[in-house]
Amino acid sequence: MKMKQMKSLLVFIFLCACTLLSAQSKPWSLEDCIQYAIEHNISIKQLVVQKNVAEVNLNTAQMSRVPNLNAGGGQSWSFGRTQMETGLYETQDQSNTGLSVSSSIPLFTGFRIPNEIAKNKLDLETSVQNLEKAKDDLALNVASLFLQVLFNKELLKINQEQLALSQSQIERTQALTDAGKVPLSQLYDIEAQVANDKVSVVQSENDLRLSLLDLAQSLELQLSADFDILVPEFNDVVTEYMGSVQPPQIVFDNAVKIKPVIKAQELQVKSAEKSLAIAKSAYYPTLSLDLNAGTNYFYLYNSKDKDFSNKSFSNQIKNNMSEAIALNLSIPIFNRFSVRNQVRNARFNIENQQLALENTKKSLYKEIETAYLNAIAAQEKYNSAQQAIKSTSESFNYAKERYETGKSSVFEFNEARTRLIRSRSEEIQAKYDYIFRTKILDFYNGIPIKL
């Protein structure tokens, strides 16, 4: 039986390992990264715990309406002069056992309990909105890191293409040198350029690994050798993402209605208003209904009265039973101005929360306005970069043709090539910067971040 259990355990571990390996080897899309980050991020988990605490606090407030129930017991011993059952004092040792059950029901608390329940509901909703805000912020951060990986992948591809081009130029330069069309120094120059291009490729590979590491760390994931992302297909990014670039006021009007940061702040204002109502409840009288039932057992040691005998425990417990019902009214008259000051502080807190809400809205509008201007600038930069690529590509092709026929130097060829590389790098940087800026505007519009 133990061997069967061991085999089943080994099969289970093997299947788990295969599942883990297949998950690691599969390229990660942006949506996969965001979902995994939300599920495993430690800060998100902490906010989930805070939400659970808020739920418990709400349950505690709700249960304060329910009657409580307490049981008690006591044991006492008396020596020397003690009061007997008859009320007379005698020198006698005795013991007394008391048992009681009590309950109290709040009938009126100055509306404190319903306001506490309402406040805890608002606090729970606030914690939910804070959790959603953290998820949104995390998604935006993951998108930024994801796009950085895409940028580094394209930059690596450009450097690899330039290295291949330089390596191919060695043979052509060798042929030109053998034909006496160019000096031998140009062959050395192109070989030096190949070495520089290899350095650029190594640096690009390292940048790509570092960006993958940053992305993996944001997912709370250990970087493995096969961790990679799914490269989406982009067509005309300006046309594809143009719909995201909306005027700031339109985006702001949408954001105010849906963004968790605004909702959380609005809920805090309402919670502060309930705190004021709770503070005011101390001005009102409180009324409670108290119920009590008790009994006791009396035992006399070495009684001098020969006719006296201690009754049994069960008999005394039954016969000594007493019940009581009481209404308790408490009317506050003077509390050293503590309630008044609590009410004043609660009003100040409402004012502070309202100012915080106003400041949050202003900050949000500034962020949206900045995001809009950045998106417009990124779009213009991308369009300019595309035009620059056309010009530098034509210039490079002309320089390449002249160099291969021995009519120009390696320096002129490399200069034209450097301009082309710079244009292509600026173009892909502008492209991903534009995409990211549009994703920020989508973020404020409440549109899920995806590529």
Side-chain angles (χ1 to χ4, degrees):
M1 183 65 181
K2 290 184 177 179
M3 287 297 296
K4 289 183 178 179
Q5 291 178 344
M6 182 63 69
K7 289 180 179 179
S8 300
L9 179 61
L10 291 174
V11 170
F12 176 75
I13 294 174
F14 175 75
L15 292 175
C16 290
C18 291
T19 303
L20 180 61
L21 289 173
S22 62
Q24 287 287 329
S25 60
K26 179 184 176 181
W28 293 63
S29 67
L30 176 59
E31 291 81 359
D32 294 335
C33 292
I34 291 175
Q35 184 62 34
Y36 189 91
I38 289 175
E39 292 175 357
H40 296 83
N41 183 265
I42 294 177
S43 297
I44 298 293
K45 291 181 179 180
Q46 289 178 319
L47 289 172
V48 171
V49 172
Q50 292 180 17
K51 181 181 74 69
N52 294 338
V53 171
E55 290 176 347
V56 173
N57 291 337
L58 173 59
N59 182 259
T60 301
Q62 291 170 332
M63 290 298 103
S64 61
R65 296 178 183 268
V66 180
N68 64 3
L69 181 64
N70 297 295
Q75 176 68 46
S76 64
W77 291 267
S78 300
F79 308 97
R81 300 285 292 178
T82 57
Q83 188 176 23
M84 307 299 291
E85 286 183 321
T86 60
L88 300 176
Y89 283 88
E90 297 182 8
T91 301
Q92 184 69 57
D93 298 340
Q94 63 182 7
S95 68
N96 188 31
T97 304
L99 302 174
S100 65
V101 177
S102 63
S103 177
S104 180
I105 305 172
L107 300 179
F108 180 72
T109 59
F111 309 107
R112 176 180 56 83
I113 292 177
N115 283 310
E116 284 181 343
I117 293 174
K119 181 182 183 302
N120 280 279
K121 284 182 178 179
L122 292 169
D123 292 341
L124 174 58
E125 293 177 21
T126 301
S127 66
V128 171
Q129 295 303 320
N130 288 334
L131 176 60
E132 292 303 315
K133 177 184 179 298
K135 290 179 180 180
D136 285 351
D137 293 342
L138 180 61
L140 195 61
N141 182 57
V142 170
S144 174
L145 297 173
F146 190 91
L147 290 171
Q148 184 63 41
V149 174
L150 291 177
F151 168 72
N152 287 332
K153 277 181 172 290
E154 290 206 30
L155 196 59
L156 173 60
K157 183 179 179 181
I158 291 174
N159 288 326
Q160 288 173 337
E161 290 174 355
Q162 295 305 314
L163 174 59
L165 176 62
S166 298
Q167 289 173 334
S168 67
Q169 291 299 322
I170 291 180
E171 295 181 2
R172 293 188 178 91
T173 305
Q174 181 70 58
L176 293 172
T177 302
D178 293 342
K181 293 183 178 181
V182 297
L184 185 61
S185 60
Q186 293 206 25
L187 178 60
Y188 297 147
D189 290 340
I190 197 68
E191 289 176 346
Q193 184 60 49
V194 169
N196 290 333
D197 289 344
K198 287 182 179 179
V199 172
S200 297
V201 169
V202 171
Q203 182 62 48
S204 297
E205 290 174 340
N206 186 58
D207 290 341
L208 176 58
R209 283 194 295 268
L210 289 175
S211 61
L212 284 169
L213 175 62
D214 290 339
L215 178 60
Q217 288 177 341
S218 71
L219 307 182
E220 303 291 347
L221 188 70
Q222 278 193 336
L223 181 65
S224 60
D226 56 355
F227 176 75
D228 202 358
I229 65 171
L230 183 65
V231 179
E233 294 184 3
F234 296 107
N235 298 315
D236 186 352
V237 295
V238 173
T239 302
E240 187 174 354
Y241 295 102
M242 178 63 73
S244 300
V245 185
Q246 299 179 359
Q249 189 60 50
I250 295 177
V251 178
F252 175 76
D253 291 341
N254 292 333
V256 167
K257 298 174 184 176
I258 61 176
K259 294 311 292 179
V261 63
I262 299 296
K263 289 184 178 180
Q265 199 62 58
E266 290 173 342
L267 289 168
Q268 287 178 357
V269 172
K270 294 179 181 179
S271 177
E273 292 171 349
K274 291 301 178 182
S275 294
L276 174 61
I278 292 171
K280 286 182 176 180
S281 67
Y283 283 132
Y284 295 91
T286 59
L287 180 65
S288 64
L289 175 65
D290 296 335
L291 309 175
N292 184 274
T295 187
N296 70 305
Y297 168 69
F298 179 83
Y299 185 83
L300 189 65
Y301 297 95
N302 302 320
S303 175
K304 296 177 182 180
D305 186 356
K306 296 182 179 179
D307 296 329
F308 176 82
S309 62
N310 290 303
K311 296 180 181 179
S312 67
F313 180 84
S314 60
N315 181 276
Q316 290 193 46
I317 290 295
K318 179 180 179 181
N319 294 330
N320 293 343
M321 182 69 68
S322 64
E323 297 86 16
I325 299 177
L327 285 172
N328 288 321
L329 178 66
S330 176
I331 302 174
I333 297 176
F334 180 70
N335 46 46
R336 296 182 292 273
F337 303 109
S338 63
V339 176
R340 184 198 68 174
N341 290 332
Q342 289 173 5
V343 170
R344 291 171 66 185
N345 285 334
R347 287 198 174 102
F348 290 144
N349 186 39
I350 292 174
E351 184 179 356
N352 185 54
Q353 293 297 338
Q354 289 172 339
L355 291 172
L357 173 59
E358 183 180 352
N359 186 58
T360 301
K361 288 181 178 180
K362 287 184 176 181
S363 298
L364 179 63
Y365 186 82
K366 290 178 182 178
E367 292 173 5
I368 292 173
E369 196 170 32
T370 301
Y372 173 78
L373 294 176
N374 285 335
I376 294 296
Q379 179 183 341
E380 293 176 353
K381 184 178 179 181
Y382 179 63
N383 291 333
S384 299
Q386 287 183 314
Q387 293 296 325
I389 284 182
K390 293 180 181 179
S391 301
T392 54
S393 295
E394 293 177 0
S395 176
F396 172 73
N397 291 333
Y398 179 72
K400 179 182 177 184
E401 183 179 347
R402 283 175 54 81
Y403 173 73
E404 290 177 350
T405 57
K407 295 179 181 179
S408 66
S409 65
V410 172
F411 175 77
E412 294 173 333
F413 171 76
N414 284 337
E415 187 178 16
R417 194 189 69 153
T418 300
R419 288 196 298 269
L420 177 61
I421 294 174
R422 186 184 303 115
S423 296
R424 293 182 65 185
S425 299
E426 290 175 351
E427 188 266 344
I428 61 172
Q429 185 175 18
K431 178 177 73 173
Y432 287 116
D433 185 49
Y434 173 71
I435 293 173
F436 180 64
R437 300 301 175 184
T438 59
K439 293 295 110 180
I440 293 178
L441 291 173
D442 285 344
F443 164 78
Y444 287 121
N445 260 321
I447 301 174
I449 299 176
K450 59 182 180 180
L451 297 175

